[in-house]
Amino acid sequence: MLRLPPFRYLSPRSLEEAVSMLADHGPEAMLVAGGTDVYPKMRRRQFEPKVLVGLARVGSLREVRGTPTEGVSIGAGVTLTQLTRQAEIVTGYSGVVEGAEVISTPQLRNMGTIGGNLLVDTRCTYYDQTYQWRKSIDFCMKKEGSTCWVAPGSPRCLAVTSTDLAPVMMSLGARLRFVGPEGERVLDAADLYREDGIHYHTRQPGEILAEILLPSAEGWSSTYRKLRRREAFDFPLLGVAVGLRTGAGGEIEDVRIAIGGVGSAPQLIEEATEILCGKQPSEELIEKVASMAFRSSKALDNTDLIPIYRKKMAPVFVRRALRGLLGLSP
Amino acid sequence: MIRKKSGTSESLHVIGKNLPKVDAMAKVTGETLFADDLFLPRMLYAKALRSPHAHARIVSIDISRAESHPEVRGILLGKDLPTKYGILPVSQDEEAIAVDRVRYVGEMVAVVAATTEWAAEEASELIDVVYEPLESIMTVEEGLDEGKVQIHEYADHHNIHKMVCLEFGDVDAGFEEADHIREDVFFYEGNTHLALEQHAAVAHYRKDGKLTLWSSTQTPHYVHRALSKVLEMPASRIRVIATPNGGGFGGKTDPFGHEMAVSKLAMLTGRPVKFTLTREEVFYAHRGRHPVLMWARTGFASDGAITSMHFRTFLDGGGYGSYGVASTYYTGALQTVTYKVPHYRFEGVRVFTNKPPCGPKRGHGTPQPRFALEVQLDKAAEDLGICPISIRRDHLVEENTLTANYLRVTTCGLDECIDRVVEASGWREKKGKLPPGRGLGLACSSYLSGAGLPIYWNKMPHSGVQIKIDRGGGVAVFCGSTDVGQGSDSVLAYTVAEVLGVTLGDIQVFTADTDMTPVDLGSYSSRVTLMTGNAAIDAATKLRDLLFEVAAEELDCEPDELDAHDNRIFVCEDSDRGLDFIHVARKAEAKFGTLGSVGSYTPPPSAGRFRGAGVGPSPCYSYAACVMDLSVDPDTGQTTIHDIWLAYDCGTALNPVLVVGQVEGSVYMGLGEALMEEQIFRRGVHKIPSLLDYKSPTFKEMPPVHTLLVERWDPRGPFGAKEAGQGPLLPVPPAYVNALYDATGVRFDRVPVGPDLVLEGLERKRKGREPRVGPKGVPAVQWQPLDKVPLPSQNPEDEGV
């Protein structure tokens, strides 16, 4: 079997303790929440921490507060299973439930957390392999090597964003609260991500994601659609999240469409918001937005199914997500 | 022979009943000890350093740094086990550990034994190997190019490992008679077995010079032979025990380097050694489905009867021989056992490439040509304006005949199989009336019930069974057969229970141990039920004769008036007159001495006398017909399979619930091959060697399967049984693409077909291009002159052999 290398496991009981442990061990340390991605990656030696700071016993990370009317804050340690069952979320934020319930398998959702999913490592079929496998291609730039084998001319790593919940959070306008040695900061979900397979997020090394802050759900509806080969296990090959607010007359008051699973960062299709806001939905407008999704999805040969297929699916998924929320036939 | 119990089911008490497997409770409660569950005192753990090159010469290996690792106890290199071996006598081309050349990424270069698995892995990376990379051959086309590097010194020609050129009858004349001729090209991608249990082996070398190897193998007898050869030790000093297999599917039928390595390391270190492959290493051990490119030219009469068939196959073999010579013949063998093929020509070629070796996977070499044949029939039916049912149903082989290539068909229930799936699926009501994007597809198939010839030439039985009865009424059954989950231990228990009339709980089965059990050749070619079943009946009947003799004396009747059931031996016509089994057993022991018997089975001789006639013959053949109902999403190309109906002629179902399990498992595996599974390479390396990235269906992709058993009693099978382990996979891939065609009007002449290819096909059709997705052609090959074999009808000497 593939074995875990030796490591130390620290078990802080509070966020403050976790922050200081992380600071004490510097680059040798990593955070682990559910461990569904960290441990397999340690077996394959993609991650080689000497110290793991486990967040499982930090009680505050498991809390859910607020109401859909005033907004809900979700502790980063809330499990994916809990997300799909939590009354405040189920009643107000169907996009979150739809996003969480299609992650991996029931067993892994019991362990995996919302925070872990939002920060999950980017993936690539040249990178998500064992040490010996990676040695046989002379490694890649994401770990130990210098070339991006997806496109050997590329100056940056092209690993693909694989979080299902990131586009959901962006479509809802969620904000994220981080705690670090210097105190707290809150940023828009969209600002957490960077179009770079290696430096794919803006979390500072000593920081811990503490809470996800969902704004009021009043008037909003949301959805998430995921492309993958199988109905379980698989990471997204494309994920489309839509948050939508319609007025009394049926006009679109506000809308956010975010795409994940293509490119190194999830992205908001901002032009879609401009095109749709304030208008009555129509076939023509939906098609216009769908075609934008085609242009903005940069699928590459770094995961399953051929890239052009994934790109072609972006408009189909955007169209279906929008039509679903607007109550139109698919 | 079995009196009263042949041909009828009324008098049977165990056979034909839905009974639990004898090992079911142990499996579901976790009691079963798989090879990796074995822990011996002072045991070491082995890990391999593997080649990072697809093809390279090993210049030097320096183990000094690894040797100084404090936890290392032994290091093994190729030169320590240089004797070559291989499953087939004609392909002795493997080394336990590469000696001076590596032929695929992942081939073992050194094996380290250490006190922990982690330390062994750490130390293996301290071994310094200098390679001289060589040009690598990654496709059949490259392999056929004589200007390229040669992978092995031996071969039929350059990188052509095996070439077969056979003609039965006069194919050209057969084409002259045709009203319609079709030529098509097909591709079937390679895939792997994906047994849930990764291969593992534990070796223990005793101080008295005896070696024991526990291994998750389907063929302990062949491992025994190979170990003796490679270790240069008499086989009598080696004991191989096959542990319960957590699935095999053909992936554990070769002797493997890790089995040799732990054995040698146990001898060198004086400590037990275990080696459990990682999932990635299982992808390198492979021996899975060959990728096969195919060209088929078939002549049809206007009613759909085949007048002539010419078939060419191109197998991508990987780096070593394995079963490849047999696989090559198998891609040409069973085309003739479903529909009448009066003239038949087969040309096949297997090419060495720098990938893990291919070998036998469920259906061994036959799902690929079956796919081609069933899709081509579907096309021909449309060309000729006849329905896909009649083109098959009207031209079936007849029972008790020899095919053009000398395969004896005893029973064939394919007529009933087709009728049953057509009926159950509502084909006649639905076909042609389904909404757009929805389709029905039909395909049929056949498979062996055991290879008629052994892997190495000998005249000994293929399966042996010993039975012993003790004074407490317990019955112990010993057989070399290996349960890989298919239920072969249970078949032994059921047949003995039926013949002796004892309850299953009184039977203990001991299997797959070369010291304790008589030889059975192994769990491959769907041979075990038929061969061990017959051997068990043979052994049990001999004991029953003794018991009945004693019982008849006491009951004052003739032995043939007796029957046995539920631990009683009684007079058939007056069942109150009877004796307890234990009572009779004790009396029999007093009279005859210790009670034991042996039984064996050797298949009937095969009819063909030509070179290559050894591959294809079987005591009898199973038959399958499958209908699939699916929908295609026109925007995404995603398919939803609504239902699968599969009718199966397995002969007598010894235990129907196990047969249904085999059918469902086969359908599942066939769907994986049809929908998504691919053993594929990029930059010389396996692209996706993990359970996450090598896509195989999950429970959620599994449609309802309606299994319909067609129990065509076969005189050659135990209680009339044939096989169920492999055959049901075969019709699934062609039924899938035939249904896709019905749904979309696009022909898919390849598998797998995922949503991306479906969408490509739909777009081609929309744009007015040829509505087909598949290979464009086949490479040019300098075929050898054909071995021309007269048809059996022109060769009266061979008829009836």
Side-chain angles (χ1 to χ4, degrees):
Chain A
M1 291 185 72
L2 270 186
R3 292 290 174 196
L4 272 177
F7 61 92
R8 274 184 75 200
Y9 183 88
L10 304 179
S11 186
R13 306 300 160 109
S14 71
L15 211 44
E16 297 68 39
E17 201 185 349
V19 168
S20 87
M21 283 173 172
L22 205 50
D24 289 349
H25 295 279
E28 285 204 328
M30 271 189 83
L31 290 169
V32 62
T36 58
D37 198 48
V38 167
Y39 295 126
K41 285 195 158 147
M42 286 173 68
R43 288 171 187 264
R44 295 191 293 260
R45 284 187 275 161
Q46 294 162 273
F47 293 162
E48 298 180 286
K50 296 277 175 278
V51 176
L52 283 182
V53 178
L55 298 173
R57 298 201 175 180
V58 179
S60 63
L61 291 176
R62 300 259 178 173
E63 288 171 10
V64 177
R65 289 176 286 119
T67 64
T69 317
E70 66 193 24
V72 171
S73 73
I74 307 167
V78 168
T79 67
L80 300 168
T81 299
Q82 195 187 336
L83 270 189
T84 65
R85 295 177 185 168
Q86 191 78 30
E88 298 88 328
I89 297 165
V90 174
T91 50
Y93 306 93
S94 30
V96 176
V97 177
E98 290 170 19
E101 72 190 4
V102 294
I103 295 168
S104 195
T105 63
Q107 291 87 339
L108 295 193
R109 290 197 291 276
N110 289 342
M111 293 300 293
T113 64
I114 179 172
N117 186 265
L118 287 172
L119 285 161
V120 76
D121 196 9
T122 56
R123 299 184 59 82
C124 179
T125 48
Y126 287 105
Y127 165 68
D128 288 294
Q129 304 280 0
T130 62
Y131 175 81
Q132 285 202 12
W133 190 100
R134 286 180 282 125
K135 195 168 82 179
S136 68
I137 57 156
D138 202 16
F139 301 102
C140 76
M141 70 162 68
K142 191 160 159 75
K143 177 83 175 149
E144 285 149 299
S146 54
T147 307
C148 175
W149 293 109
V150 174
S154 172
R156 72 165 179 92
C157 165
L158 296 168
V160 64
T161 172
S162 300
T163 152
D164 286 294
L165 291 176
V168 173
M169 294 306 153
M170 287 159 67
S171 75
L172 294 172
R175 292 162 62 77
L176 310 172
R177 185 168 72 86
F178 284 88
V179 176
E182 259 94 84
E184 287 190 17
R185 72 185 174 115
V186 175
L187 68 160
D188 283 344
D191 294 333
L192 178 59
Y193 301 101
R194 300 169 43 145
E195 190 64 38
D196 182 317
I198 295 171
H199 308 288
Y200 63 94
H201 61 69
T202 58
R203 179 180 78 91
Q204 297 304 305
E207 283 184 329
I208 298 175
L209 174 59
E211 268 186 323
I212 293 89
L213 310 167
L214 301 179
S216 166
E218 204 67 12
W220 286 83
S221 58
S222 59
T223 190
Y224 179 69
R225 301 221 173 201
K226 175 175 183 170
L227 173 69
R228 54 179 167 171
R229 181 82 77 149
R230 307 172 294 185
E231 292 297 307
F233 290 102
D234 292 340
F235 284 93
L237 305 174
L238 168 72
V240 170
V242 180
L244 178 80
R245 199 178 75 218
T246 45
E251 77 282 6
I252 295 172
E253 287 183 349
D254 200 357
V255 64
R256 293 188 210 93
I257 301 176
I259 296 191
V262 285
S264 296
Q267 47 172 326
L268 275 172
I269 307 180
E270 281 164 11
E271 309 94 304
T273 308
E274 288 159 29
I275 291 169
L276 294 172
C277 275
K279 307 229 176 65
Q280 285 292 334
S282 70
E283 300 283 338
E284 194 192 345
L285 286 179
I286 291 171
E287 284 315 304
K288 198 166 169 188
V289 169
S291 64
M292 270 165 189
F294 180 79
R295 261 177 282 141
S296 52
S297 61
K298 295 176 273 289
L300 292 163
D301 183 21
N302 45 18
T303 180
D304 189 27
L305 293 175
I306 53 177
I308 183 64
Y309 174 77
R310 291 161 56 213
K311 191 172 168 69
K312 283 176 182 168
M313 287 307 100
V316 176
F317 277 56
V318 165
R319 184 189 305 129
R320 288 183 177 185
L322 271 173
R323 297 183 74 96
L325 286 180
L326 291 164
L328 301 170
S329 66
Chain B
M1 288 305 294
I2 301 296
R3 290 162 313 218
K4 301 191 185 84
K5 295 205 168 181
S6 314
T8 67
S9 58
E10 293 101 60
S11 60
L12 299 177
H13 302 287
V14 181
I15 298 303
K17 304 285 185 281
N18 288 321
L19 294 165
K21 287 166 104 167
V22 294
D23 53 350
M25 284 310 287
K27 288 270 169 63
V28 300
T29 56
E31 241 171 42
T32 305
L33 293 180
F34 296 97
D36 188 51
D37 295 324
L38 302 178
F39 292 90
L40 300 180
R42 303 174 67 244
M43 190 170 80
L44 300 174
Y45 297 85
K47 276 279 179 191
L49 178 71
R50 291 174 181 272
S51 168
H53 298 286
H55 197 190
R57 202 171 67 76
I58 298 170
V59 177
S60 65
I61 303 180
D62 180 353
I63 59 169
S64 52
R65 288 198 302 141
E67 269 180 325
S68 62
H69 190 291
E71 290 180 64
V72 168
R73 296 292 178 270
I75 298 176
L76 208 60
L77 300 179
K79 65 179 169 57
D80 302 316
L81 287 170
T83 305
K84 292 193 178 188
Y85 66 95
I87 185 70
L88 299 187
V90 294
S91 307
Q92 300 286 300
D93 61 1
E94 296 191 51
E95 292 153 349
I97 302 170
V99 177
D100 52 18
R101 193 155 160 193
V102 287
R103 294 180 173 88
Y104 60 90
V105 171
E107 188 166 358
M108 293 204 295
V109 173
V111 178
V112 178
T115 50
T116 67
E117 213 170 354
W118 171 251
E121 182 173 341
E122 220 174 28
S124 71
E125 280 154 25
L126 298 173
I127 297 172
D128 300 299
V129 186
V130 178
Y131 296 95
E132 178 195 322
L134 302 169
E135 175 186 37
S136 59
I137 305 288
M138 297 308 290
T139 63
V140 164
E141 289 76 7
E142 286 170 8
L144 291 169
D145 181 346
E146 292 180 29
K148 300 259 183 196
V149 64
Q150 196 171 344
I151 295 175
H152 282 281
E153 276 101 54
Y154 89 107
D156 274 4
H157 180 71
H158 201 62
N159 284 318
I160 296 177
H161 173 213
K162 182 67 189 173
M163 182 182 282
V164 180
C165 302
L166 284 167
E167 176 161 317
F168 304 92
D170 187 340
V171 166
D172 293 335
F175 280 122
E176 291 290 318
E177 292 166 26
D179 298 313
H180 178 61
I181 295 174
R182 273 209 72 93
E183 245 182 65
D184 291 285
V185 183
F186 300 94
F187 179 63
Y188 200 112
E189 183 57 276
N191 49 63
T192 203
H193 315 83
L194 221 66
L196 279 184
E197 181 209 19
Q198 296 147 218
H199 306 49
V202 180
H204 176 44
Y205 186 63
R206 288 197 327 229
K207 296 289 180 276
D208 63 0
K210 291 216 173 186
L211 175 79
T212 304
L213 177 79
W214 292 264
S215 182
S216 44
T217 176
Q218 299 177 239
T219 52
H221 175 59
Y222 295 138
V223 171
H224 192 208
R225 286 168 53 85
L227 266 186
S228 169
K229 183 183 183 195
V230 175
L231 298 174
E232 296 172 352
M233 247 171 97
S236 57
R237 309 283 169 83
I238 302 171
R239 177 181 183 186
V240 177
I241 300 171
T243 46
N245 279 244
F249 312 110
K252 296 169 183 167
T253 49
D254 285 59
F256 285 102
H258 66 271
E259 295 170 321
M260 319 282 170
V262 286
S263 301
K264 186 72 177 180
L265 281 166
M267 294 167 75
L268 292 176
T269 61
R271 294 173 67 164
V273 182
K274 183 199 281 190
F275 194 149
T276 303
L277 300 190
T278 65
R279 177 57 58 182
E280 180 183 354
E281 291 176 311
V282 175
F283 281 97
Y284 300 146
H286 192 47
R287 322 289 157 149
R289 183 91 64 227
H290 284 76
V292 184
L293 187 61
M294 293 166 282
W295 174 89
R297 184 165 192 259
T298 307
F300 297 90
S302 56
D303 66 351
I306 293 169
T307 64
S308 202
M309 182 184 287
H310 183 183
F311 216 94
R312 284 179 171 154
T313 60
F314 304 77
L315 291 80
D316 180 344
Y320 291 92
S322 182
Y323 282 81
V325 169
S327 316
T328 310
Y329 279 110
Y330 272 129
T331 63
L334 300 191
Q335 279 86 330
T336 56
V337 296
T338 41
Y339 322 107
K340 284 179 209 148
V341 179
H343 304 280
Y344 179 53
R345 185 186 295 160
F346 168 62
E347 291 163 306
V349 68
R350 182 183 193 257
V351 174
F352 283 127
T353 52
N354 291 114
K355 306 181 205 175
C358 298
K361 182 185 169 190
R362 208 174 202 169
H364 190 189
T366 70
Q368 302 97 325
R370 176 55 55 185
F371 172 79
L373 173 54
E374 294 295 321
V375 178
Q376 192 175 50
L377 274 180
D378 217 57
K379 295 181 184 186
E382 188 177 36
D383 297 345
L384 294 166
I386 50 184
C387 91
I389 301 166
S390 358
I391 199 169
R392 295 173 167 88
R393 180 77 170 77
D394 294 352
H395 307 290
L396 298 176
V397 292
E398 283 165 28
E399 297 193 331
N400 299 308
T401 56
L402 272 183
T403 65
N405 57 342
Y406 291 78
L407 304 181
R408 175 162 298 284
V409 174
T410 52
T411 55
C412 168
L414 188 49
D415 46 359
E416 198 180 333
C417 289
I418 294 174
D419 294 346
R420 296 278 299 276
V421 287
V422 165
E423 169 77 25
S425 63
W427 175 285
R428 293 193 196 278
E429 300 79 58
K430 292 181 194 162
K431 180 78 174 172
K433 296 169 200 137
L434 293 169
R438 187 154 183 169
L440 281 177
L442 168 73
C444 301
S445 66
S446 175
Y447 195 65
L448 319 168
S449 305
L453 282 96
I455 276 171
Y456 64 98
W457 171 243
N458 72 83
K459 289 185 169 177
M460 292 176 279
H462 290 215
S463 192
V465 169
Q466 288 179 334
I467 304 177
K468 148 186 135 2
I469 298 178
D470 71 50
R471 294 178 188 180
V475 177
V477 183
F478 302 84
C479 178
S481 60
T482 306
D483 203 312
V484 294
Q486 87 280 42
S488 61
D489 283 5
S490 303
V491 165
L492 280 170
Y494 302 152
T495 45
V496 172
E498 185 67 60
V499 175
L500 293 181
V502 295
T503 58
L504 282 173
D506 293 310
I507 293 179
Q508 189 60 47
V509 173
F510 300 89
T511 52
D513 178 331
T514 59
D515 264 9
M516 276 177 61
T517 60
V519 166
D520 174 84
L521 293 179
S523 283
Y524 64 93
S525 82
S526 270
R527 52 175 297 289
V528 188
T529 290
L530 188 132
M531 299 199 192
T532 67
N534 279 328
I537 290 173
D538 184 22
T541 306
K542 288 171 185 166
L543 272 176
R544 199 175 76 153
D545 288 347
L546 299 181
L547 298 170
F548 278 19
E549 187 180 325
V550 171
E553 281 168 17
E554 187 166 337
L555 294 167
D556 196 19
C557 65
E558 292 302 315
D560 65 5
E561 291 174 56
L562 295 172
D563 197 357
H565 167 51
D566 207 12
N567 291 346
R568 272 186 87 239
I569 294 169
F570 54 90
V571 179
C572 288
E573 303 301 322
D574 181 8
S575 60
D576 289 343
R577 272 171 69 205
L579 300 164
D580 281 349
F581 179 80
I582 293 187
H583 171 78
V584 179
R586 288 175 179 168
K587 277 194 97 166
E589 187 175 340
K591 178 167 182 175
F592 300 112
T594 303
L595 290 181
S597 72
V598 294
S600 51
Y601 178 77
T602 308
S606 51
R609 291 288 173 270
F610 55 93
R611 193 166 167 226
V615 180
S618 174
C620 46
Y621 299 87
S622 65
Y623 288 91
C626 175
V627 168
M628 200 179 296
D629 174 9
L630 55 75
S631 293
V632 173
D633 181 326
D635 296 332
T636 65
Q638 289 168 323
T639 55
T640 305
I641 298 171
H642 304 292
D643 284 286
I644 292 178
W645 295 266
L646 199 144
Y648 201 64
D649 168 19
C650 59
T652 303
L654 298 184
N655 180 346
V657 74
L658 286 194
V659 174
V660 172
Q662 286 291 337
V663 170
E664 291 177 358
S666 293
V667 167
Y668 166 76
M669 189 170 266
L671 277 178
E673 301 187 7
L675 296 165
M676 57 183 87
E677 293 192 32
E678 294 180 298
Q679 170 103 344
I680 47 171
F681 297 80
R682 184 175 59 180
R683 297 182 194 279
V685 190
H686 194 302
K687 188 177 171 186
I688 40 175
S690 75
L691 266 178
L692 176 62
D693 291 320
Y694 175 90
K695 301 301 178 192
S696 184
T698 73
F699 232 70
K700 294 208 164 189
E701 282 70 50
M702 190 66 185
V705 177
H706 311 276
T707 302
L708 310 158
L709 296 184
V710 172
E711 300 187 55
R712 191 66 61 94
W713 190 89
D714 194 285
R716 286 178 166 178
F719 299 106
K722 300 199 274 192
E723 73 90 34
Q726 306 191 52
L729 179 146
L730 278 87
V732 176
Y736 169 63
V737 299
N738 287 344
L740 276 181
Y741 175 72
D742 193 41
T744 63
V746 181
R747 283 290 177 193
F748 295 91
D749 290 342
R750 58 156 286 147
V751 277
V753 182
D756 43 358
L757 290 187
V758 172
L759 196 73
E760 185 188 322
L762 293 171
E763 283 177 1
R764 288 182 67 88
K765 189 175 172 222
R766 214 172 287 143
K767 289 174 184 164
R769 291 154 69 192
E770 186 195 9
R772 172 183 181 268
V773 174
K776 292 190 169 57
V778 293
V781 170
Q782 190 65 49
W783 298 101
Q784 292 157 6
L786 292 160
D787 280 346
K788 296 207 174 202
V789 183
L791 294 170
S793 55
Q794 299 156 342
N795 197 0
E797 193 189 332
D798 277 347
E799 181 64 72
V801 170

